[in-house]
Amino acid sequence: MTTFKTLLVGAAVGALLAVAGVAAAMAVLNPTAADVATRMADQASDPNEPPTFYGSR
């Protein structure tokens, strides 16, 4: 019975770490709207030139 408890506790801790890791990764990978607006404002030199997030030809 003790082995089963240990297994459940280990699974719960692993799931908690996985959720925290995914949340941290999403926070790093998804910039806020303010970050995007700041980058776009810094980049806006020529209004006829498309933004760099469209890629290049």
Side-chain angles (χ1 to χ4, degrees):
M1 188 67 174
T2 337
T3 308
F4 185 67
K5 272 187 181 178
T6 306
L7 180 66
L8 285 178
V9 170
V13 170
L16 183 64
L17 286 174
V19 168
V22 168
M26 293 304 290
V28 169
L29 294 176
N30 286 335
T32 63
D35 292 338
V36 173
T38 302
R39 273 190 255 140
M40 291 289 100
D42 291 343
Q43 176 185 339
S45 58
D46 182 11
N48 295 322
E49 184 177 328
T52 56
F53 62 80
Y54 286 130
S56 60
R57 295 183 194 181

